Amino acid sequence: AQSVTQPDIHITVSEGASLELRCNYSYGATPYLFWYVQSPGQGLQLLLKYFSGDTLVQGIKGFEAEFKRSQSSFNLRKPSVHWSDAAEYFCAVGAQGAGSYQLTFGKGTKLSVIP
Amino acid sequence: DTGVSQNPRHKITKRGQNVTFRCDPISEHNRLYWYRQTLGQGPEFLTYFQNEAQLEKSRLLSDRFSAERPKGSFSTLEIQRTEQGDSAMYLCATKTGTGGLETQYFGPGTRLLVL
């Protein structure tokens, strides 16, 4: 069964600083990988996804993520954080050929932004 | 707004009562998923439908839970004899296609509080 680990429960950065959120996954084959963002009391919005090809993927709102198979990682990055980026971020893995293609999520990383 | 709607957005009930939530998907989306998100956790898969057929249920879905998707359109999730442990955000997600490539679009969720 697949699993996702987000080692950082809470990260605080200053506005304008760079950001990296860590995600490690466990899956026996090449996974489908996703990053979602959730604002308080809201549903999840997709930031970006990786299926195959170029290991550096670009998403919305200036986010990017890099798939590293050797490290089983899919870290999310942003060069300059804005106050509106404060939210909770979830990494998720979807299994290939699993029928339902259900997503398995990490526990999330809460991002706080200092003005 | 992803185009997936959920009602009600909030529900407070007393232990032992029955509750029903509704999810209206994006019209052309044939797959519909229910997830549960408890405080401090990522969403966890409950069940999914392909059109009107319920094809997979998680072990989290006890016999007090039932889900339907008549005619392959909207879906309902009913919890009978609610318990305090059922307090959570219930998220609906929908997607097109039959593979894992397509994005799951999440609704805003229904937050349930069982007193």
PDB file of all heavy atoms in Angstrom, chain A residues 32 36 38 41-44 46 49 51 90 99-103 105-107, chain B residues 9 31 33 35 37 41-43 45 48 56 91 98-101 103-104 106-107:
ATOM      1  N   TYR A  32       1.592   8.445  -9.283  1.00  0.00           N
ATOM      2  CA  TYR A  32       1.050   9.750  -9.634  1.00  0.00           C
ATOM      3  C   TYR A  32       1.188  10.604  -8.376  1.00  0.00           C
ATOM      4  O   TYR A  32       0.803  10.175  -7.295  1.00  0.00           O
ATOM      5  CB  TYR A  32      -0.428   9.660 -10.002  1.00  0.00           C
ATOM      6  CG  TYR A  32      -0.755   8.800 -11.194  1.00  0.00           C
ATOM      7  CD1 TYR A  32      -1.954   8.108 -11.267  1.00  0.00           C
ATOM      8  CD2 TYR A  32       0.120   8.691 -12.268  1.00  0.00           C
ATOM      9  CE1 TYR A  32      -2.281   7.330 -12.371  1.00  0.00           C
ATOM     10  CE2 TYR A  32      -0.200   7.907 -13.368  1.00  0.00           C
ATOM     11  CZ  TYR A  32      -1.398   7.227 -13.413  1.00  0.00           C
ATOM     12  OH  TYR A  32      -1.707   6.459 -14.488  1.00  0.00           O
ATOM     13  N   TYR A  36      -1.779  19.591  -3.145  1.00  0.00           N
ATOM     14  CA  TYR A  36      -3.005  20.359  -2.998  1.00  0.00           C
ATOM     15  C   TYR A  36      -2.807  21.393  -1.896  1.00  0.00           C
ATOM     16  O   TYR A  36      -2.027  21.178  -0.952  1.00  0.00           O
ATOM     17  CB  TYR A  36      -4.185  19.463  -2.594  1.00  0.00           C
ATOM     18  CG  TYR A  36      -4.796  18.646  -3.706  1.00  0.00           C
ATOM     19  CD1 TYR A  36      -4.277  17.411  -4.063  1.00  0.00           C
ATOM     20  CD2 TYR A  36      -5.932  19.098  -4.378  1.00  0.00           C
ATOM     21  CE1 TYR A  36      -4.865  16.643  -5.058  1.00  0.00           C
ATOM     22  CE2 TYR A  36      -6.537  18.342  -5.379  1.00  0.00           C
ATOM     23  CZ  TYR A  36      -5.997  17.115  -5.711  1.00  0.00           C
ATOM     24  OH  TYR A  36      -6.588  16.373  -6.707  1.00  0.00           O
ATOM     25  N   GLN A  38      -5.062  23.860   0.934  1.00  0.00           N
ATOM     26  CA  GLN A  38      -6.363  24.004   1.583  1.00  0.00           C
ATOM     27  C   GLN A  38      -6.343  25.242   2.470  1.00  0.00           C
ATOM     28  O   GLN A  38      -5.560  25.313   3.417  1.00  0.00           O
ATOM     29  CB  GLN A  38      -6.685  22.761   2.420  1.00  0.00           C
ATOM     30  CG  GLN A  38      -8.067  22.767   3.038  1.00  0.00           C
ATOM     31  CD  GLN A  38      -8.366  21.475   3.798  1.00  0.00           C
ATOM     32  OE1 GLN A  38      -7.485  20.903   4.432  1.00  0.00           O
ATOM     33  NE2 GLN A  38      -9.607  20.999   3.715  1.00  0.00           N
ATOM     34  N   GLY A  41     -11.200  26.094   6.394  1.00  0.00           N
ATOM     35  CA  GLY A  41     -12.616  25.847   6.154  1.00  0.00           C
ATOM     36  C   GLY A  41     -12.986  25.561   4.716  1.00  0.00           C
ATOM     37  O   GLY A  41     -14.167  25.474   4.387  1.00  0.00           O
ATOM     38  N   GLN A  42     -11.986  25.386   3.872  1.00  0.00           N
ATOM     39  CA  GLN A  42     -12.251  25.186   2.446  1.00  0.00           C
ATOM     40  C   GLN A  42     -11.848  23.797   1.982  1.00  0.00           C
ATOM     41  O   GLN A  42     -11.169  23.052   2.694  1.00  0.00           O
ATOM     42  CB  GLN A  42     -11.481  26.230   1.627  1.00  0.00           C
ATOM     43  CG  GLN A  42     -11.836  27.660   1.971  1.00  0.00           C
ATOM     44  CD  GLN A  42     -13.288  27.971   1.717  1.00  0.00           C
ATOM     45  OE1 GLN A  42     -13.825  27.672   0.638  1.00  0.00           O
ATOM     46  NE2 GLN A  42     -13.958  28.569   2.683  1.00  0.00           N
ATOM     47  N   GLY A  43     -12.255  23.473   0.761  1.00  0.00           N
ATOM     48  CA  GLY A  43     -11.819  22.230   0.152  1.00  0.00           C
ATOM     49  C   GLY A  43     -10.400  22.355  -0.358  1.00  0.00           C
ATOM     50  O   GLY A  43      -9.684  23.309  -0.056  1.00  0.00           O
ATOM     51  N   LEU A  44      -9.973  21.381  -1.127  1.00  0.00           N
ATOM     52  CA  LEU A  44      -8.608  21.335  -1.614  1.00  0.00           C
ATOM     53  C   LEU A  44      -8.522  21.821  -3.058  1.00  0.00           C
ATOM     54  O   LEU A  44      -9.351  21.457  -3.892  1.00  0.00           O
ATOM     55  CB  LEU A  44      -8.057  19.911  -1.526  1.00  0.00           C
ATOM     56  CG  LEU A  44      -7.710  19.402  -0.131  1.00  0.00           C
ATOM     57  CD1 LEU A  44      -8.942  18.887   0.583  1.00  0.00           C
ATOM     58  CD2 LEU A  44      -6.656  18.316  -0.215  1.00  0.00           C
ATOM     59  N   LEU A  46      -5.949  21.961  -6.388  1.00  0.00           N
ATOM     60  CA  LEU A  46      -4.755  21.367  -6.949  1.00  0.00           C
ATOM     61  C   LEU A  46      -3.740  22.443  -7.317  1.00  0.00           C
ATOM     62  O   LEU A  46      -4.060  23.409  -8.009  1.00  0.00           O
ATOM     63  CB  LEU A  46      -5.101  20.561  -8.195  1.00  0.00           C
ATOM     64  CG  LEU A  46      -3.907  19.882  -8.880  1.00  0.00           C
ATOM     65  CD1 LEU A  46      -3.414  18.712  -8.032  1.00  0.00           C
ATOM     66  CD2 LEU A  46      -4.273  19.417 -10.282  1.00  0.00           C
ATOM     67  N   LYS A  49       0.754  18.542 -10.454  1.00  0.00           N
ATOM     68  CA  LYS A  49       0.750  17.081 -10.449  1.00  0.00           C
ATOM     69  C   LYS A  49       1.875  16.561 -11.331  1.00  0.00           C
ATOM     70  O   LYS A  49       2.327  17.244 -12.259  1.00  0.00           O
ATOM     71  CB  LYS A  49      -0.599  16.552 -10.931  1.00  0.00           C
ATOM     72  CG  LYS A  49      -0.975  16.990 -12.335  1.00  0.00           C
ATOM     73  CD  LYS A  49      -2.395  16.537 -12.668  1.00  0.00           C
ATOM     74  CE  LYS A  49      -2.801  17.012 -14.059  1.00  0.00           C
ATOM     75  NZ  LYS A  49      -4.212  16.643 -14.373  1.00  0.00           N
ATOM     76  N   PHE A  51       3.062  12.952 -13.450  1.00  0.00           N
ATOM     77  CA  PHE A  51       2.776  11.582 -13.870  1.00  0.00           C
ATOM     78  C   PHE A  51       4.006  10.945 -14.492  1.00  0.00           C
ATOM     79  O   PHE A  51       4.337   9.802 -14.231  1.00  0.00           O
ATOM     80  CB  PHE A  51       1.623  11.553 -14.873  1.00  0.00           C
ATOM     81  CG  PHE A  51       0.328  12.038 -14.310  1.00  0.00           C
ATOM     82  CD1 PHE A  51      -0.443  12.957 -14.996  1.00  0.00           C
ATOM     83  CD2 PHE A  51      -0.131  11.587 -13.089  1.00  0.00           C
ATOM     84  CE1 PHE A  51      -1.636  13.417 -14.465  1.00  0.00           C
ATOM     85  CE2 PHE A  51      -1.331  12.029 -12.549  1.00  0.00           C
ATOM     86  CZ  PHE A  51      -2.088  12.960 -13.252  1.00  0.00           C
ATOM     87  N   PHE A  90      -0.985  19.812   1.217  1.00  0.00           N
ATOM     88  CA  PHE A  90      -1.041  18.360   1.284  1.00  0.00           C
ATOM     89  C   PHE A  90      -0.394  17.747   0.048  1.00  0.00           C
ATOM     90  O   PHE A  90      -0.716  18.111  -1.083  1.00  0.00           O
ATOM     91  CB  PHE A  90      -2.487  17.874   1.369  1.00  0.00           C
ATOM     92  CG  PHE A  90      -3.171  18.223   2.664  1.00  0.00           C
ATOM     93  CD1 PHE A  90      -3.917  19.378   2.770  1.00  0.00           C
ATOM     94  CD2 PHE A  90      -3.048  17.402   3.776  1.00  0.00           C
ATOM     95  CE1 PHE A  90      -4.542  19.717   3.965  1.00  0.00           C
ATOM     96  CE2 PHE A  90      -3.676  17.722   4.970  1.00  0.00           C
ATOM     97  CZ  PHE A  90      -4.426  18.885   5.062  1.00  0.00           C
ATOM     98  N   GLY A  99      -7.383   0.728 -10.096  1.00  0.00           N
ATOM     99  CA  GLY A  99      -8.833   0.706 -10.220  1.00  0.00           C
ATOM    100  C   GLY A  99      -9.482   1.988  -9.793  1.00  0.00           C
ATOM    101  O   GLY A  99      -9.976   2.754 -10.605  1.00  0.00           O
ATOM    102  N   SER A 100      -9.486   2.250  -8.492  1.00  0.00           N
ATOM    103  CA  SER A 100     -10.176   3.433  -8.014  1.00  0.00           C
ATOM    104  C   SER A 100      -9.352   4.702  -8.207  1.00  0.00           C
ATOM    105  O   SER A 100      -9.896   5.774  -8.270  1.00  0.00           O
ATOM    106  CB  SER A 100     -10.504   3.279  -6.530  1.00  0.00           C
ATOM    107  OG  SER A 100      -9.326   3.357  -5.742  1.00  0.00           O
ATOM    108  N   TYR A 101      -8.037   4.562  -8.261  1.00  0.00           N
ATOM    109  CA  TYR A 101      -7.142   5.720  -8.321  1.00  0.00           C
ATOM    110  C   TYR A 101      -7.411   6.682  -7.179  1.00  0.00           C
ATOM    111  O   TYR A 101      -7.303   7.891  -7.321  1.00  0.00           O
ATOM    112  CB  TYR A 101      -7.235   6.434  -9.674  1.00  0.00           C
ATOM    113  CG  TYR A 101      -6.766   5.542 -10.794  1.00  0.00           C
ATOM    114  CD1 TYR A 101      -7.678   4.866 -11.592  1.00  0.00           C
ATOM    115  CD2 TYR A 101      -5.408   5.350 -11.028  1.00  0.00           C
ATOM    116  CE1 TYR A 101      -7.244   4.021 -12.597  1.00  0.00           C
ATOM    117  CE2 TYR A 101      -4.973   4.514 -12.042  1.00  0.00           C
ATOM    118  CZ  TYR A 101      -5.900   3.850 -12.819  1.00  0.00           C
ATOM    119  OH  TYR A 101      -5.476   3.022 -13.811  1.00  0.00           O
ATOM    120  N   GLN A 102      -7.754   6.110  -6.042  1.00  0.00           N
ATOM    121  CA  GLN A 102      -7.931   6.938  -4.851  1.00  0.00           C
ATOM    122  C   GLN A 102      -6.611   7.587  -4.487  1.00  0.00           C
ATOM    123  O   GLN A 102      -5.535   7.087  -4.778  1.00  0.00           O
ATOM    124  CB  GLN A 102      -8.403   6.074  -3.685  1.00  0.00           C
ATOM    125  CG  GLN A 102      -7.386   5.013  -3.327  1.00  0.00           C
ATOM    126  CD  GLN A 102      -7.815   4.078  -2.242  1.00  0.00           C
ATOM    127  OE1 GLN A 102      -7.506   4.301  -1.095  1.00  0.00           O
ATOM    128  NE2 GLN A 102      -8.557   3.050  -2.582  1.00  0.00           N
ATOM    129  N   LEU A 103      -6.704   8.733  -3.832  1.00  0.00           N
ATOM    130  CA  LEU A 103      -5.511   9.433  -3.397  1.00  0.00           C
ATOM    131  C   LEU A 103      -5.210   9.097  -1.939  1.00  0.00           C
ATOM    132  O   LEU A 103      -6.122   9.003  -1.105  1.00  0.00           O
ATOM    133  CB  LEU A 103      -5.702  10.939  -3.544  1.00  0.00           C
ATOM    134  CG  LEU A 103      -5.900  11.441  -4.975  1.00  0.00           C
ATOM    135  CD1 LEU A 103      -6.129  12.947  -4.988  1.00  0.00           C
ATOM    136  CD2 LEU A 103      -4.704  11.080  -5.844  1.00  0.00           C
ATOM    137  N   PHE A 105      -3.133  10.732   1.114  1.00  0.00           N
ATOM    138  CA  PHE A 105      -2.585  12.023   1.493  1.00  0.00           C
ATOM    139  C   PHE A 105      -1.629  11.914   2.666  1.00  0.00           C
ATOM    140  O   PHE A 105      -1.770  11.039   3.535  1.00  0.00           O
ATOM    141  CB  PHE A 105      -3.712  12.980   1.895  1.00  0.00           C
ATOM    142  CG  PHE A 105      -4.557  13.473   0.764  1.00  0.00           C
ATOM    143  CD1 PHE A 105      -5.634  12.732   0.302  1.00  0.00           C
ATOM    144  CD2 PHE A 105      -4.279  14.692   0.156  1.00  0.00           C
ATOM    145  CE1 PHE A 105      -6.424  13.188  -0.748  1.00  0.00           C
ATOM    146  CE2 PHE A 105      -5.064  15.156  -0.891  1.00  0.00           C
ATOM    147  CZ  PHE A 105      -6.128  14.407  -1.347  1.00  0.00           C
ATOM    148  N   GLY A 106      -0.684  12.856   2.717  1.00  0.00           N
ATOM    149  CA  GLY A 106       0.087  13.062   3.920  1.00  0.00           C
ATOM    150  C   GLY A 106      -0.745  13.828   4.933  1.00  0.00           C
ATOM    151  O   GLY A 106      -1.879  14.227   4.656  1.00  0.00           O
ATOM    152  N   LYS A 107      -0.156  14.077   6.106  1.00  0.00           N
ATOM    153  CA  LYS A 107      -0.887  14.760   7.168  1.00  0.00           C
ATOM    154  C   LYS A 107      -0.910  16.266   6.998  1.00  0.00           C
ATOM    155  O   LYS A 107      -1.583  16.965   7.749  1.00  0.00           O
ATOM    156  CB  LYS A 107      -0.306  14.391   8.531  1.00  0.00           C
ATOM    157  CG  LYS A 107      -0.531  12.934   8.884  1.00  0.00           C
ATOM    158  CD  LYS A 107      -0.076  12.636  10.307  1.00  0.00           C
ATOM    159  CE  LYS A 107      -0.398  11.181  10.652  1.00  0.00           C
ATOM    160  NZ  LYS A 107      -0.034  10.846  12.054  1.00  0.00           N
TER     161      LYS A 107
ATOM    162  N   ARG B   9     -22.928  22.919   4.271  1.00  0.00           N
ATOM    163  CA  ARG B   9     -21.525  23.188   4.536  1.00  0.00           C
ATOM    164  C   ARG B   9     -21.163  22.869   5.974  1.00  0.00           C
ATOM    165  O   ARG B   9     -20.040  22.474   6.267  1.00  0.00           O
ATOM    166  CB  ARG B   9     -21.208  24.661   4.241  1.00  0.00           C
ATOM    167  CG  ARG B   9     -21.346  25.039   2.782  1.00  0.00           C
ATOM    168  CD  ARG B   9     -20.239  24.403   1.919  1.00  0.00           C
ATOM    169  NE  ARG B   9     -18.919  24.668   2.434  1.00  0.00           N
ATOM    170  CZ  ARG B   9     -18.225  25.767   2.211  1.00  0.00           C
ATOM    171  NH1 ARG B   9     -18.725  26.704   1.444  1.00  0.00           N
ATOM    172  NH2 ARG B   9     -17.011  25.919   2.727  1.00  0.00           N
ATOM    173  N   ARG B  31     -16.511   9.795 -12.249  1.00  0.00           N
ATOM    174  CA  ARG B  31     -16.011   9.209 -11.010  1.00  0.00           C
ATOM    175  C   ARG B  31     -16.232  10.176  -9.854  1.00  0.00           C
ATOM    176  O   ARG B  31     -15.962  11.370  -9.971  1.00  0.00           O
ATOM    177  CB  ARG B  31     -14.540   8.858 -11.132  1.00  0.00           C
ATOM    178  CG  ARG B  31     -14.290   7.657 -12.022  1.00  0.00           C
ATOM    179  CD  ARG B  31     -13.006   6.980 -11.671  1.00  0.00           C
ATOM    180  NE  ARG B  31     -12.871   5.721 -12.395  1.00  0.00           N
ATOM    181  CZ  ARG B  31     -12.031   4.771 -12.058  1.00  0.00           C
ATOM    182  NH1 ARG B  31     -11.252   4.930 -11.002  1.00  0.00           N
ATOM    183  NH2 ARG B  31     -11.961   3.666 -12.749  1.00  0.00           N
ATOM    184  N   TYR B  33     -15.698  10.508  -5.531  1.00  0.00           N
ATOM    185  CA  TYR B  33     -15.027   9.975  -4.349  1.00  0.00           C
ATOM    186  C   TYR B  33     -15.536  10.700  -3.101  1.00  0.00           C
ATOM    187  O   TYR B  33     -15.799  11.899  -3.128  1.00  0.00           O
ATOM    188  CB  TYR B  33     -13.515  10.207  -4.431  1.00  0.00           C
ATOM    189  CG  TYR B  33     -12.835   9.582  -5.617  1.00  0.00           C
ATOM    190  CD1 TYR B  33     -12.922  10.160  -6.877  1.00  0.00           C
ATOM    191  CD2 TYR B  33     -12.084   8.420  -5.482  1.00  0.00           C
ATOM    192  CE1 TYR B  33     -12.288   9.593  -7.972  1.00  0.00           C
ATOM    193  CE2 TYR B  33     -11.439   7.845  -6.570  1.00  0.00           C
ATOM    194  CZ  TYR B  33     -11.544   8.436  -7.811  1.00  0.00           C
ATOM    195  OH  TYR B  33     -10.920   7.884  -8.894  1.00  0.00           O
ATOM    196  N   TYR B  35     -14.149  11.404   0.834  1.00  0.00           N
ATOM    197  CA  TYR B  35     -13.029  11.350   1.753  1.00  0.00           C
ATOM    198  C   TYR B  35     -13.484  11.933   3.093  1.00  0.00           C
ATOM    199  O   TYR B  35     -14.382  12.768   3.145  1.00  0.00           O
ATOM    200  CB  TYR B  35     -11.844  12.200   1.259  1.00  0.00           C
ATOM    201  CG  TYR B  35     -11.147  11.692   0.026  1.00  0.00           C
ATOM    202  CD1 TYR B  35     -11.636  11.992  -1.249  1.00  0.00           C
ATOM    203  CD2 TYR B  35      -9.981  10.940   0.113  1.00  0.00           C
ATOM    204  CE1 TYR B  35     -10.983  11.538  -2.391  1.00  0.00           C
ATOM    205  CE2 TYR B  35      -9.319  10.498  -1.018  1.00  0.00           C
ATOM    206  CZ  TYR B  35      -9.827  10.798  -2.262  1.00  0.00           C
ATOM    207  OH  TYR B  35      -9.170  10.357  -3.398  1.00  0.00           O
ATOM    208  N   GLN B  37     -11.845  13.917   6.530  1.00  0.00           N
ATOM    209  CA  GLN B  37     -10.666  14.605   7.059  1.00  0.00           C
ATOM    210  C   GLN B  37     -10.912  14.997   8.504  1.00  0.00           C
ATOM    211  O   GLN B  37     -11.782  15.817   8.791  1.00  0.00           O
ATOM    212  CB  GLN B  37     -10.339  15.854   6.226  1.00  0.00           C
ATOM    213  CG  GLN B  37      -9.071  16.554   6.655  1.00  0.00           C
ATOM    214  CD  GLN B  37      -8.763  17.765   5.798  1.00  0.00           C
ATOM    215  OE1 GLN B  37      -9.638  18.328   5.133  1.00  0.00           O
ATOM    216  NE2 GLN B  37      -7.510  18.191   5.792  1.00  0.00           N
ATOM    217  N   GLN B  41      -5.230  16.004  10.241  1.00  0.00           N
ATOM    218  CA  GLN B  41      -4.917  14.896   9.347  1.00  0.00           C
ATOM    219  C   GLN B  41      -5.207  15.272   7.899  1.00  0.00           C
ATOM    220  O   GLN B  41      -5.952  16.217   7.627  1.00  0.00           O
ATOM    221  CB  GLN B  41      -5.752  13.667   9.711  1.00  0.00           C
ATOM    222  CG  GLN B  41      -5.563  13.186  11.126  1.00  0.00           C
ATOM    223  CD  GLN B  41      -4.161  12.666  11.383  1.00  0.00           C
ATOM    224  OE1 GLN B  41      -3.589  11.961  10.554  1.00  0.00           O
ATOM    225  NE2 GLN B  41      -3.599  13.010  12.526  1.00  0.00           N
ATOM    226  N   GLY B  42      -4.644  14.513   6.989  1.00  0.00           N
ATOM    227  CA  GLY B  42      -5.018  14.661   5.600  1.00  0.00           C
ATOM    228  C   GLY B  42      -6.298  13.893   5.311  1.00  0.00           C
ATOM    229  O   GLY B  42      -6.721  13.060   6.118  1.00  0.00           O
ATOM    230  N   PRO B  43      -6.914  14.154   4.192  1.00  0.00           N
ATOM    231  CA  PRO B  43      -8.120  13.404   3.836  1.00  0.00           C
ATOM    232  C   PRO B  43      -7.834  11.911   3.707  1.00  0.00           C
ATOM    233  O   PRO B  43      -6.763  11.512   3.257  1.00  0.00           O
ATOM    234  CB  PRO B  43      -8.507  13.999   2.478  1.00  0.00           C
ATOM    235  CG  PRO B  43      -7.872  15.348   2.459  1.00  0.00           C
ATOM    236  CD  PRO B  43      -6.591  15.191   3.207  1.00  0.00           C
ATOM    237  N   PHE B  45      -9.538   8.248   2.232  1.00  0.00           N
ATOM    238  CA  PHE B  45     -10.493   7.700   1.289  1.00  0.00           C
ATOM    239  C   PHE B  45     -11.576   6.895   2.003  1.00  0.00           C
ATOM    240  O   PHE B  45     -11.290   6.068   2.871  1.00  0.00           O
ATOM    241  CB  PHE B  45      -9.756   6.815   0.280  1.00  0.00           C
ATOM    242  CG  PHE B  45     -10.632   5.979  -0.593  1.00  0.00           C
ATOM    243  CD1 PHE B  45     -11.338   6.560  -1.637  1.00  0.00           C
ATOM    244  CD2 PHE B  45     -10.762   4.617  -0.390  1.00  0.00           C
ATOM    245  CE1 PHE B  45     -12.140   5.797  -2.469  1.00  0.00           C
ATOM    246  CE2 PHE B  45     -11.560   3.840  -1.211  1.00  0.00           C
ATOM    247  CZ  PHE B  45     -12.249   4.435  -2.259  1.00  0.00           C
ATOM    248  N   TYR B  48     -15.792   5.132  -3.493  1.00  0.00           N
ATOM    249  CA  TYR B  48     -15.880   5.812  -4.773  1.00  0.00           C
ATOM    250  C   TYR B  48     -16.894   5.150  -5.690  1.00  0.00           C
ATOM    251  O   TYR B  48     -17.221   3.968  -5.538  1.00  0.00           O
ATOM    252  CB  TYR B  48     -14.514   5.928  -5.452  1.00  0.00           C
ATOM    253  CG  TYR B  48     -14.224   4.903  -6.529  1.00  0.00           C
ATOM    254  CD1 TYR B  48     -14.296   5.252  -7.878  1.00  0.00           C
ATOM    255  CD2 TYR B  48     -13.838   3.618  -6.193  1.00  0.00           C
ATOM    256  CE1 TYR B  48     -13.998   4.330  -8.862  1.00  0.00           C
ATOM    257  CE2 TYR B  48     -13.548   2.695  -7.177  1.00  0.00           C
ATOM    258  CZ  TYR B  48     -13.622   3.048  -8.513  1.00  0.00           C
ATOM    259  OH  TYR B  48     -13.330   2.133  -9.485  1.00  0.00           O
ATOM    260  N   GLU B  56     -15.760   0.586  -4.701  1.00  0.00           N
ATOM    261  CA  GLU B  56     -14.793   0.301  -3.649  1.00  0.00           C
ATOM    262  C   GLU B  56     -15.179   1.028  -2.377  1.00  0.00           C
ATOM    263  O   GLU B  56     -15.669   2.154  -2.424  1.00  0.00           O
ATOM    264  CB  GLU B  56     -13.380   0.721  -4.080  1.00  0.00           C
ATOM    265  CG  GLU B  56     -12.286   0.266  -3.104  1.00  0.00           C
ATOM    266  CD  GLU B  56     -10.893   0.465  -3.671  1.00  0.00           C
ATOM    267  OE1 GLU B  56     -10.748   0.521  -4.902  1.00  0.00           O
ATOM    268  OE2 GLU B  56      -9.940   0.566  -2.873  1.00  0.00           O
ATOM    269  N   LEU B  91     -15.373  15.318   2.540  1.00  0.00           N
ATOM    270  CA  LEU B  91     -15.041  15.925   1.258  1.00  0.00           C
ATOM    271  C   LEU B  91     -15.473  15.029   0.105  1.00  0.00           C
ATOM    272  O   LEU B  91     -15.311  13.811   0.163  1.00  0.00           O
ATOM    273  CB  LEU B  91     -13.530  16.152   1.155  1.00  0.00           C
ATOM    274  CG  LEU B  91     -12.938  17.182   2.117  1.00  0.00           C
ATOM    275  CD1 LEU B  91     -11.432  16.991   2.230  1.00  0.00           C
ATOM    276  CD2 LEU B  91     -13.258  18.587   1.661  1.00  0.00           C
ATOM    277  N   THR B  98     -11.242   7.075 -16.691  1.00  0.00           N
ATOM    278  CA  THR B  98     -11.171   5.834 -15.927  1.00  0.00           C
ATOM    279  C   THR B  98      -9.753   5.536 -15.462  1.00  0.00           C
ATOM    280  O   THR B  98      -9.493   4.494 -14.886  1.00  0.00           O
ATOM    281  CB  THR B  98     -11.678   4.650 -16.769  1.00  0.00           C
ATOM    282  OG1 THR B  98     -10.894   4.588 -17.976  1.00  0.00           O
ATOM    283  CG2 THR B  98     -13.134   4.817 -17.130  1.00  0.00           C
ATOM    284  N   GLY B  99      -8.832   6.438 -15.726  1.00  0.00           N
ATOM    285  CA  GLY B  99      -7.456   6.216 -15.305  1.00  0.00           C
ATOM    286  C   GLY B  99      -7.062   7.116 -14.161  1.00  0.00           C
ATOM    287  O   GLY B  99      -7.909   7.751 -13.527  1.00  0.00           O
ATOM    288  N   GLY B 100      -5.769   7.185 -13.901  1.00  0.00           N
ATOM    289  CA  GLY B 100      -5.300   7.995 -12.784  1.00  0.00           C
ATOM    290  C   GLY B 100      -4.750   9.334 -13.192  1.00  0.00           C
ATOM    291  O   GLY B 100      -4.324  10.119 -12.355  1.00  0.00           O
ATOM    292  N   LEU B 101      -4.784   9.624 -14.497  1.00  0.00           N
ATOM    293  CA  LEU B 101      -4.146  10.836 -14.968  1.00  0.00           C
ATOM    294  C   LEU B 101      -4.962  12.084 -14.653  1.00  0.00           C
ATOM    295  O   LEU B 101      -4.417  13.155 -14.465  1.00  0.00           O
ATOM    296  CB  LEU B 101      -3.927  10.746 -16.486  1.00  0.00           C
ATOM    297  CG  LEU B 101      -3.026   9.610 -16.985  1.00  0.00           C
ATOM    298  CD1 LEU B 101      -2.999   9.612 -18.503  1.00  0.00           C
ATOM    299  CD2 LEU B 101      -1.639   9.761 -16.429  1.00  0.00           C
ATOM    300  N   THR B 103      -7.248  14.906 -12.946  1.00  0.00           N
ATOM    301  CA  THR B 103      -7.265  15.555 -11.640  1.00  0.00           C
ATOM    302  C   THR B 103      -8.570  15.294 -10.913  1.00  0.00           C
ATOM    303  O   THR B 103      -9.643  15.308 -11.518  1.00  0.00           O
ATOM    304  CB  THR B 103      -7.083  17.072 -11.818  1.00  0.00           C
ATOM    305  OG1 THR B 103      -5.829  17.307 -12.438  1.00  0.00           O
ATOM    306  CG2 THR B 103      -7.140  17.792 -10.485  1.00  0.00           C
ATOM    307  N   GLN B 104      -8.478  15.067  -9.613  1.00  0.00           N
ATOM    308  CA  GLN B 104      -9.664  15.027  -8.774  1.00  0.00           C
ATOM    309  C   GLN B 104      -9.952  16.442  -8.296  1.00  0.00           C
ATOM    310  O   GLN B 104      -9.085  17.100  -7.723  1.00  0.00           O
ATOM    311  CB  GLN B 104      -9.462  14.104  -7.568  1.00  0.00           C
ATOM    312  CG  GLN B 104      -9.398  12.632  -7.935  1.00  0.00           C
ATOM    313  CD  GLN B 104      -9.382  11.716  -6.727  1.00  0.00           C
ATOM    314  OE1 GLN B 104      -9.894  12.059  -5.654  1.00  0.00           O
ATOM    315  NE2 GLN B 104      -8.805  10.537  -6.888  1.00  0.00           N
ATOM    316  N   PHE B 106     -12.035  18.811  -5.833  1.00  0.00           N
ATOM    317  CA  PHE B 106     -12.680  18.693  -4.531  1.00  0.00           C
ATOM    318  C   PHE B 106     -13.735  19.774  -4.321  1.00  0.00           C
ATOM    319  O   PHE B 106     -13.551  20.926  -4.726  1.00  0.00           O
ATOM    320  CB  PHE B 106     -11.643  18.791  -3.413  1.00  0.00           C
ATOM    321  CG  PHE B 106     -10.856  17.539  -3.217  1.00  0.00           C
ATOM    322  CD1 PHE B 106      -9.782  17.240  -4.034  1.00  0.00           C
ATOM    323  CD2 PHE B 106     -11.196  16.636  -2.213  1.00  0.00           C
ATOM    324  CE1 PHE B 106      -9.060  16.068  -3.870  1.00  0.00           C
ATOM    325  CE2 PHE B 106     -10.477  15.471  -2.035  1.00  0.00           C
ATOM    326  CZ  PHE B 106      -9.410  15.180  -2.860  1.00  0.00           C
ATOM    327  N   GLY B 107     -14.798  19.373  -3.652  1.00  0.00           N
ATOM    328  CA  GLY B 107     -15.781  20.332  -3.188  1.00  0.00           C
ATOM    329  C   GLY B 107     -15.319  20.991  -1.906  1.00  0.00           C
ATOM    330  O   GLY B 107     -14.272  20.628  -1.355  1.00  0.00           O
TER     331      GLY B 107
END
